[in-house]
């Protein structure tokens, strides 16, 4: 397939290795990856903080950029959720039926959805000999409903020891602007999450949203506990020594 990669502005600015990992992974599976240069922020943050007209401008830019693409894949569950679920609401709010039609015509997938549901590839040939735990981000589970797709992919990675994260369904406390507007609550929530991560004895905590991982990883780094954080795509891109 010819896959259009939507990196997401958070990843592009702070975690460029994730976009590179997605490209490496999909090309290894035999697909062509293209990067439409006109892409920018999907508008999720603007929408959730009440800047509806600004969100509509970004949504129109997104649909214009990707309208001719067969399929769009992103390593950001929250951005995929914004396009698929927030764009129709944005269109209704600003009374733009053309935007609603454009959004409906897009085939946008979060990476694990694309691998498992579209490609039927739970085993992507990865090798990662480490003890790993998985944090299911709120957007991936509550909005997108990715369910066990990330876990199916992790279980198929050779050498990987997957350990269950206690109270996995609890929010890490990031929530975009929530972490800034409700800092004390956010810090308390991530303290709980980090305690559970450390209880697993994992070497690595992974997720399908770098926003959550930045929050969890920041808290882990302050404890100097030696637990790394990695996007799931980076694990799946690993093949070990050749």
């Amino acid at each position: 397939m010819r896959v259009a990669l939507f990196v997401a502005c958070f990843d592009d600015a702070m975690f460029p290795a994730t976009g590179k990992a997605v490209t490496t992974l999909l090309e290894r599976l035999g697909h062509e990856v293209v990067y439409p240069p006109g892409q920018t922020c999907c508008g999720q943050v603007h929408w959730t903080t009440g800047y509806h007209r600004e969100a509509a401008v970004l949504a129109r830019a997104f649909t214009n950029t990707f309208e001719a693409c067969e399929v769009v894949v992103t390593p950001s569950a929250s951005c995929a959720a914004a396009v698929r679920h927030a764009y129709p609401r944005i269109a209704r709010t600003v009374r733009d039926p053309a935007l609603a039609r454009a959004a409906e015509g897009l085939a946008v997938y979060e990476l694990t959805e694309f691998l498992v549901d579209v490609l039927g590839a739970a085993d992507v040939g990865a090798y990662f000999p480490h003890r790993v735990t998985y944090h299911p981000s709120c957007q991936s589970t509550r909005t997108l409903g990715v369910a066990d797709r990330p876990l199916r992919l992790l279980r198929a990675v050779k050498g990987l020891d997957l350990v269950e994260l206690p109270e996995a369904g609890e929010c890490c406390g990031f929530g975009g602007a929530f972490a800034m507007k409700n800092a004390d609550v956010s810090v308390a929530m991530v303290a709980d999450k980090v305690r559970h991560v450390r209880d697993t004895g994992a070497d690595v905590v992974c997720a399908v949203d770098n926003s959550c991982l930045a929050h969890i990883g920041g808290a882990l780094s302050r404890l100097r506990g030696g637990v790394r954080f990695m996007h799931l795509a980076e694990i799946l891109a690993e093949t070990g020594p050749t």
Side-chain angles (χ1 to χ4, degrees):
M1 299 180 68
R2 193 168 191 262
V3 180
L5 174 62
F6 173 52
V7 172
C9 53
F10 191 86
D11 292 350
D12 184 50
M14 299 185 66
F15 299 98
T18 298
K20 294 177 182 178
V22 175
T23 302
T24 298
L25 172 61
L26 293 179
E27 288 181 344
R28 189 174 77 221
L29 294 175
H31 304 283
E32 179 187 1
V33 180
V34 297
Y35 181 84
Q39 61 181 276
T40 182
C41 177
C42 69
Q44 175 193 189
V45 175
H46 304 74
W47 168 252
T48 56
T49 51
Y51 292 91
H52 296 166
R53 280 180 288 187
E54 290 81 356
V57 170
L58 291 167
R60 293 186 193 105
F62 185 98
T63 55
N64 289 339
T65 298
F66 290 100
E67 62 182 348
C69 299
E70 177 186 3
V71 63
V72 182
V73 173
T74 178
S76 170
S78 60
C79 290
V83 175
R84 280 165 37 189
H85 297 281
Y87 277 17
R89 297 174 62 192
I90 293 171
R92 289 194 299 270
T93 299
V94 299
R95 300 180 181 180
D96 186 344
L99 173 58
R101 290 191 297 271
E104 186 178 351
L106 294 175
V108 178
Y109 294 93
E110 180 271 328
L111 177 64
T112 67
E113 293 180 310
F114 181 68
L115 293 172
V116 175
D117 297 349
V118 179
L119 301 184
D123 186 344
V124 297
Y127 173 75
F128 192 74
H130 299 281
R131 188 176 176 89
V132 177
T133 193
Y134 169 70
H135 163 67
S137 66
C138 296
Q139 289 282 7
S140 69
T141 56
R142 292 172 173 81
T143 306
L144 279 187
V146 301
D148 69 339
R149 294 173 183 87
L151 294 174
R152 289 166 64 183
L153 288 157
L154 286 168
R155 291 185 187 116
V157 175
K158 294 176 178 62
L160 188 147
D161 178 16
L162 180 62
V163 289
E164 183 178 354
L165 179 64
E167 305 296 339
E170 290 186 358
C171 177
C172 72
F174 180 68
F178 175 86
M180 292 179 281
K181 293 182 178 180
N182 303 276
D184 291 342
V185 176
S186 176
V187 168
M189 293 172 74
V190 78
D192 287 342
K193 180 63 65 174
V194 164
R195 185 177 72 255
H196 294 316
V197 168
R198 298 184 77 191
D199 286 345
T200 67
D203 306 312
V204 176
V205 55
C206 72
V208 294
D209 271 299
N210 272 327
S211 52
C212 294
L213 286 173
H215 193 49
I216 296 168
L220 283 168
S221 68
R222 288 171 175 79
L223 297 174
R224 302 182 185 277
V227 183
R228 290 188 290 157
F229 65 96
M230 294 177 68
H231 192 284
L232 179 60
E234 295 171 57
I235 292 176
L236 298 180
E238 291 284 340
T239 56
T242 57

